[in-house]
Amino acid sequence: MLRSPSRFVRSCVAAAVVGSVLAGCGSSTEPASEQSAAAAGPKTDVTVEPIKATRELTDANGVKISLKKEPERIVCLFALCDDILTELGIVPTATNSALLAHPDFLGEEKAKQVDVIPGGFIAPEVEVILSHKPDLVIGLEDTHGKLAPALKGATTFWPMQPETWQDSVGYLRDAAALTGRTTEGEKAEKTFRAKLAKAEGAKSDKTALVIYGSDENFGVATPETDVAASLFPKLADYPWKSRGVEGSYSLEEILAADVDVIFSETISFGEADGKLSEKLAENPLWGKIPAVENGDVHEVNSEVWAKGRGTRSLGIVLDEATAALR
């Protein structure tokens, strides 16, 4: 599904019309390089604590989940759920994400065997969800939380709200505990932590940028508001900081930052065609950015980079990003 203007898309989104300058709110006077270093945080710990199977837990956001049995029929209303289940060796009963079609997940043919919930990402049809007799329904809290009353009594609804890679790891561990897939959960976490630590140990001195948008608008993914972007201060110089919902970065500011490598996520909200980088090329400022001049603009899969947000998706992000940043 295409992303909507919610925290699923980016909580900082107030997309800048190409070439316009938006006055950013909450901007900091701290030097960009120091901001990037601070955002990197401590070195990645590769230690993986044992996961204990349980039918009751409280997740990192304080949401209490209680199940009568290990869930066998799980419906996914957003891509992190599909990512987590794939890591645990579980195929969702139904989904409304296109992530499973990616070759590093189920692939196109197997993904076609998973039923799709109609109604789109914003308004999945409750009747269809319940028709699958799910033991557990997993959705995005700020988007699907409104469905909770309609699902109450018929199934268990688990609202998630990931904002960092640590959140995603926490949800993976919780799901592994609830499904009894503890070995698979520990293995997936270990694989991801090891990959991140390796990438962190070979941090690039290049300046990177992740942008997203449609045919007319674009935004900058920042570590405070985007799970994939939360990895980047560990991988490269990433001076971009959230300005809240009232502001974004202009092409003028991006040009001034001497960006070496750009990752572009094309996300349209209709039937727009073409790639975001191709649309931005219509603005003369775009061609002056070093990354553009040197042919270092990489169109990436938005299903993985923007929507996946789990350890398998983030592992793909690490592979693609580190290769481009060498």
Side-chain angles (χ1 to χ4, degrees):
M1 279 306 303
L2 301 175
R3 291 183 291 183
S4 64
S6 68
R7 281 163 63 189
F8 175 71
V9 182
R10 320 279 182 203
S11 59
C12 65
V13 150
V17 175
V18 175
S20 69
V21 181
L22 295 184
C25 69
S27 58
S28 172
T29 56
E30 182 182 6
S33 59
E34 292 182 18
Q35 292 179 27
S36 182
K43 293 292 183 181
T44 301
D45 186 355
V46 297
T47 304
V48 175
E49 297 295 331
I51 301 174
K52 183 179 180 180
T54 184
R55 292 180 186 171
E56 295 184 1
L57 57 78
T58 300
D59 70 18
N61 278 339
V63 176
K64 295 181 179 180
I65 302 296
S66 179
L67 300 172
K68 294 180 180 180
K69 63 175 184 177
E70 289 182 359
E72 298 177 357
R73 299 180 62 80
I74 303 174
V75 171
C76 292
L77 301 183
F78 80 129
L80 174 59
C81 172
D82 297 279
D83 189 298
I84 289 173
L85 295 191
T86 301
E87 289 284 63
L88 299 180
I90 300 172
V91 177
T93 300
T95 184
N96 65 357
S97 161
L99 184 65
L100 293 176
H102 189 280
D104 288 330
F105 285 81
L106 296 184
E108 288 188 9
E109 291 305 311
K110 289 185 177 180
K112 291 178 181 177
Q113 300 174 22
V114 180
D115 288 341
V116 176
I117 300 296
F121 173 71
I122 299 297
E125 295 183 11
V126 173
E127 295 80 4
V128 178
I129 293 173
L130 294 177
S131 73
H132 290 284
K133 302 185 183 303
D135 302 311
L136 181 63
V137 177
I138 300 177
L140 185 65
E141 181 179 20
D142 68 1
T143 302
H144 305 120
K146 62 182 181 294
L147 299 179
L151 298 173
K152 188 175 181 179
T155 186
T156 298
F157 175 60
W158 186 0
M160 296 182 175
Q161 195 66 57
E163 296 183 350
T164 66
W165 67 266
Q166 292 94 333
D167 291 340
S168 295
V169 169
Y171 284 126
L172 168 72
R173 292 178 59 85
D174 289 344
L178 289 170
T179 59
R181 303 294 180 102
T182 58
T183 299
E184 292 86 346
E186 291 169 7
K187 180 180 178 181
E189 180 183 357
K190 183 177 182 180
T191 298
F192 173 72
R193 285 186 177 275
K195 182 174 289 190
L196 179 56
K198 181 178 179 181
E200 183 180 42
K203 183 176 181 178
S204 173
D205 60 0
K206 295 180 179 180
T207 298
L209 169 67
V210 179
I211 59 173
Y212 62 95
S214 60
D215 56 336
E216 296 181 350
N217 304 303
F218 79 94
V220 171
T222 61
E224 301 92 340
T225 58
D226 181 85
V227 177
S230 73
L231 300 174
F232 269 80
K234 293 181 177 293
L235 310 180
D237 177 26
Y238 201 79
W240 319 102
K241 189 172 182 178
S242 174
R243 291 174 169 177
V245 297
E246 299 298 331
S248 186
Y249 289 87
S250 66
L251 278 179
E252 286 85 348
E253 291 174 288
I254 293 172
L255 177 60
D258 290 328
V259 178
D260 299 300
V261 183
I262 295 175
F263 301 94
S264 175
E265 304 170 1
T266 300
I267 304 162
S268 59
F269 296 96
E271 297 300 323
D273 57 357
K275 299 176 180 178
L276 174 60
S277 59
E278 294 173 345
K279 299 296 182 179
L280 289 172
E282 298 172 6
N283 188 298
L285 292 178
W286 176 254
K288 297 179 180 179
I289 299 171
V292 180
E293 290 182 326
N294 298 327
D296 241 338
V297 177
H298 305 268
E299 282 283 344
V300 295
N301 187 321
S302 63
E303 295 294 330
V304 172
W305 278 63
K307 303 177 186 179
R309 294 187 285 191
T311 50
R312 181 164 295 206
S313 294
L314 295 178
I316 296 171
V317 171
L318 286 173
D319 289 339
E320 296 178 354
T322 52
L325 288 164
R326 288 195 184 104

